[in-house]
Amino acid sequence: MAERKIPDPERLKLWVRSGGRCQICRRHLLEGQLGYRELTFGQAAHIVGQKASAKSPRGLGEVLTDEERDNADNLMLICDDEHSEIDKWGSRDAFTVPFLRELKRKHEDQVFLATSFGEYNRTTPIRMVGWLRGSPAEVGRDAVATAVMANAGRMPRFDLSTRNMVEIDLRGLPGEDGPSPEYYAAACQVIDRAVKTKVAEAVASDEIIHLSVFAFARLPLLVYLGAQLDDQVPVDVYQKHRTTGDWKWPAPDGTVTFTFSVPDLEPASSEATLVINVSGTIHQDELPPRVRHLPVIELSVDQLAHPDVLAGPRELDAFSDACRRMLAEMEGRGHKHVRRLHVFAAMPLSSAVEFGRVLSRDVYPSIQLYDRTPSGDYVPAIQVGK
Ligand SMILES: [Zn+2]
């Protein structure tokens, strides 16, 4: 009786699952080993034999229908000579059904994992949308996709939201236009809920392996968001650029640089001020009278300060790096005694998130973040840290 022909769909599945390689010796089966011509080698070998008889190798190993015997799950892709060897009477005690199944499973799992390139490029966007300068931001899924594809070569997966929602929505919270302390408290709660539950759970279960942050809200809330994101997965931060109106970095190779100055502190100093001048310049006489006499640490961009001064991710990295070095130098200059650092910042939105991320890593006393009211005064907004 002639052998049944294995159905083409099962054969195709077997070849794809096997990655074109022998499941025993791993040989590439689509090329000759001597003349390197494109030839096809390999055979589909039955694990439980094709016929339910003692003559068919392993034919009585399990009770299966004919269809199940010819299914890709019961087939191995192996070299011709290996096929003959495992089927010979003299080796059937070694090549049992469980043994061959295990070889097949291991090989197919390896192929599956090794070819899952797309998985490594995926990113989970976190959009935080509030009001700023009187208008709510738009961060469409398409704008997010454009930015992460162009700047990071990644594909977004919106696991934390649906079509009609954003991941962290601060619109509609009362008291924004002041902005009032109640507004900040409510906004921080919304951020906590999203980050400490949704994001943390998805990171723990490996659903999130990379984050891309698109945040448009008041500066202290951006710092707060950054401080809540932990370092378990890599994070890219984006911002909306005023000149182009979109979220894609306009100049990925930019070379903006930063300088900071840290004064020596008396051991008795328990408070200090940090002024960050990147998107604009804050002058000493603009600070609230209560903090004007405190020692001032300053971090500034070396080029002309303006809102779009950061034009690429490398410049954002340079900013984070300057922040970390500044904090290290503060440690070295007697700032360990400082209980409270008052932070006044004129900085692009992306750098506010990054500043928060730096703070989350470096242990520092309580940070008091200030916000600028429409009338130009600085008022206490949020505390970060102990
Ligand atoms: Zn082989």
Side-chain angles (χ1 to χ4, degrees):
M1 200 172 73
E3 282 191 6
R4 278 192 318 272
K5 190 175 175 296
I6 294 168
D8 284 343
E10 299 307 315
R11 240 177 230 288
L12 178 65
K13 271 191 241 171
L14 177 64
W15 272 88
V16 170
R17 289 179 190 170
S18 208
R21 290 187 180 271
C22 170
Q23 296 188 345
I24 292 179
C25 71
R26 307 284 198 260
R27 175 182 164 197
H28 179 52
L29 294 171
L30 296 170
E31 189 180 69
Q33 295 184 108
L34 307 174
Y36 297 95
R37 302 295 193 273
E38 278 198 12
L39 301 166
T40 304
F41 297 88
Q43 295 183 353
H46 288 81
I47 295 176
V48 176
Q50 190 170 35
K51 296 189 197 84
S53 80
K55 269 191 178 170
S56 181
R58 301 168 301 280
L60 300 174
E62 280 173 20
V63 180
L64 296 182
T65 63
D66 284 356
E67 206 186 333
E68 287 167 340
R69 287 170 194 267
D70 290 345
N71 189 287
D73 289 337
N74 187 48
L75 299 170
M76 290 185 83
L77 183 66
I78 55 177
C79 299
D80 306 10
D81 56 339
E82 292 165 352
H83 193 183
S84 324
E85 182 173 345
I86 67 169
D87 283 0
K88 281 192 188 298
W89 278 108
S91 59
R92 289 191 191 178
D93 60 323
F95 299 101
T96 61
V97 169
F99 179 74
L100 293 174
R101 262 200 211 298
E102 183 60 12
L103 286 184
K104 172 187 171 69
R105 187 192 64 75
K106 267 193 197 149
H107 179 84
E108 293 183 359
D109 283 355
Q110 266 179 11
V111 169
F112 184 80
L113 290 173
T115 52
S116 60
F117 320 111
E119 288 297 283
Y120 298 105
N121 284 331
R122 81 176 196 254
T123 184
T124 306
I126 297 186
R127 291 171 293 170
M128 182 167 91
V129 180
W131 288 66
L132 195 61
R133 295 187 286 271
S135 57
E138 287 300 325
V139 196
R141 294 181 166 219
D142 50 349
V144 167
T146 302
V148 299
M149 287 162 72
N151 291 132
R154 289 183 176 275
M155 308 299 294
R157 251 180 46 182
F158 292 87
D159 293 333
L160 301 173
S161 64
T162 64
R163 244 182 83 75
N164 296 312
M165 60 183 269
V166 296
E167 292 73 27
I168 305 177
D169 198 344
L170 306 177
R171 295 169 293 191
L173 295 176
E176 188 274 343
D177 36 341
S180 67
E182 292 75 27
Y183 171 74
Y184 286 117
C188 288
Q189 267 184 22
V190 174
I191 295 171
D192 284 348
R193 261 206 304 280
V195 175
K196 289 180 183 155
T197 57
K198 280 205 279 187
V199 175
E201 277 172 23
V203 167
S205 64
D206 281 345
E207 274 166 66
I208 291 180
I209 56 172
H210 182 279
L211 289 168
S212 297
V213 176
F214 293 76
F216 192 90
R218 302 198 71 91
L219 222 59
L221 293 170
L222 301 176
V223 177
Y224 186 81
L225 171 66
Q228 308 311 311
L229 295 172
D230 68 29
D231 279 341
Q232 282 186 32
V233 295
V235 178
D236 288 343
V237 180
Y238 294 81
Q239 72 171 72
K240 189 168 186 175
H241 302 277
R242 288 196 192 179
T243 43
T244 59
D246 67 21
W247 293 79
K248 200 169 76 181
W249 291 104
D253 298 323
T255 53
V256 159
T257 51
F258 302 87
T259 306
F260 55 84
S261 63
V262 178
D264 286 313
L265 282 197
E266 302 295 319
S269 311
S270 63
E271 295 185 71
T273 299
L274 167 61
V275 176
I276 301 178
N277 293 321
V278 180
S279 61
T281 304
I282 301 169
H283 299 284
Q284 183 75 14
D285 57 8
E286 293 176 86
L287 303 182
R290 198 185 94 61
V291 304
R292 257 178 231 166
H293 67 281
L294 298 176
V296 181
I297 301 142
E298 219 178 295
L299 174 68
S300 309
V301 66
D302 296 327
Q303 291 73 15
L304 180 70
H306 66 94
D308 272 350
V309 65
L310 299 180
R314 272 169 43 184
E315 297 180 331
L316 188 57
D317 287 346
F319 171 81
S320 310
D321 183 54
C323 289
R324 274 190 289 274
R325 284 184 290 120
M326 177 186 71
L327 289 172
E329 187 159 336
M330 285 159 67
E331 282 268 340
R333 286 187 183 268
H335 291 225
K336 280 189 207 107
H337 309 284
V338 171
R339 296 263 165 275
R340 176 164 292 196
L341 185 67
H342 302 267
V343 177
F344 301 87
M347 60 179 161
L349 305 192
S350 57
S351 58
V353 178
E354 278 295 331
F355 179 63
R357 297 189 64 223
V358 171
L359 292 180
S360 77
R361 280 178 289 237
D362 288 87
V363 184
Y364 201 83
S366 156
I367 308 271
Q368 176 67 56
L369 302 166
Y370 287 75
D371 198 1
R372 195 170 200 171
T373 64
S375 56
D377 298 325
Y378 283 95
V379 293
I382 300 174
Q383 280 186 37
V384 179
K386 287 174 282 190

